[in-house]
Amino acid sequence: MTDDTGLLEHCLGNIPRRREGYTTDDNARALWACAVWRQHADQAGDRDLQATLDRLIDRYLGFLLWVQQEDGSFHNNIGYDRRPEPEKPSDDCLGRALWACAVASAALPDSGRRFVASQLFAKGLPRTTAMKFPRGWAFALAACSFLARNGSGSADSTACIELIELFEERLTRLYREASADGWHWFEPVMTYGNGVLPWALFSAYRVTKREETLAIAKESLDFLIAKMTGQNGVIRPIGNRGWCTPQSRSDWDQQPLEVMKLALASAEAHAVLADPVYRQTVDKCRAWFYGDNDGAVPMADAAEGSCCDGLTPSGANLNQGAESTLSYLLTEAIYHTAVTGG
């Protein structure tokens, strides 16, 4: 699905739909996935995989460098003809791109690639103060927290600490305002990408050590795990046909992205609390892709490294787009990191 421009967004089956173009969201996720898998390739001494990943990393870094605007924001939707499509700026896109660049700037072995990622991050970081939506805050908070723990003491360090305090306060305040007895969440409705909210607070806690942050991170993640677990114990993502409110919960359609983000939050919780329940949740998230789900059907093709776009009442959606495939590959990376303790 990656051509000489970047990662294409959609597929019919496993054949790319070129006319639907590219998104920065997917190319940022791809950079993140490749940066993480590059570390595993290094540990395994797999030179062929290292070379393949380096080529892909260059493509995705080049894409992000191309779509970053002079004000530091990232244009998200690009047509197959390489023309930017009309859109409103997206907090999620900015936060996701900054997270990917933060990981790449700290994790990649090549100093030249780290430099490019760090420059992309530095240029985009000031734009985060204008963010209005919590998932953008969460990605920015996680990125700054990650660099505060793993960075090299760059000029961005002071800005990162200030932004950690800003977004940590915003998310904890959001939780205090929305949560109630029997509803331990940041918003009146649980919609998409839910796992990034507790994930970001666990990440922040590793820097700030604020007990309220830890308490909210744990309480909200435990609530999310309960809402995303069926009576038979398998992971049951909140469906996108109606989401989840205090009165009702949608079971369909189930999205691989929700499973990956639950795994991400659970892995971070395990790193902080060392509670085996969170490691078990990561295991269950991985198992969801291989058929331990409500449809009892495999979602992922391990040989191809691809994943179906969703689980419906009648089975798997056989299209295998970028978001779902990357959700599978990132869940695998999260699982293997949890296994090795990395």
Side-chain angles (χ1 to χ4, degrees), residues 99 142 144-151 202-207 268:
W99 165 252
C144 288
S145 300
F146 178 83
L147 286 181
R149 293 186 292 108
N150 298 286
F202 276 115
S203 298
Y205 172 76
R206 296 175 76 173
V207 177
E268 194 75 5

Side-chain angles (χ1 to χ4, degrees), residues 101-213:
C101 290
V103 173
S105 69
L108 295 179
D110 178 76
S111 60
R113 296 183 177 98
R114 291 199 308 271
F115 171 75
V116 173
S118 66
Q119 291 299 299
L120 288 164
F121 180 85
K123 187 173 181 178
L125 190 62
R127 291 285 303 175
T128 61
T129 57
M131 286 178 165
K132 298 179 180 179
F133 299 104
R135 283 156 188 79
W137 302 344
F139 274 111
L141 177 57
C144 288
S145 300
F146 178 83
L147 286 181
R149 293 186 292 108
N150 298 286
S152 56
S154 68
D156 296 323
S157 297
T158 300
C160 278
I161 294 299
E162 292 174 353
L163 289 170
I164 290 169
E165 294 173 355
L166 173 66
F167 294 125
E168 181 182 41
E169 173 54 31
R170 286 186 182 180
L171 285 176
T172 55
R173 184 174 67 248
L174 195 70
Y175 185 85
R176 290 193 298 266
E177 293 172 351
S179 62
D181 288 343
W183 186 255
H184 305 297
W185 198 243
F186 302 84
E187 300 165 307
V189 179
M190 301 178 84
T191 57
Y192 72 97
N194 296 301
V196 301
L197 302 175
W199 164 63
L201 288 181
F202 276 115
S203 298
Y205 172 76
R206 296 175 76 173
V207 177
T208 67
K209 304 301 182 183
R210 285 182 58 193
E211 289 303 320
E212 182 189 23
T213 298

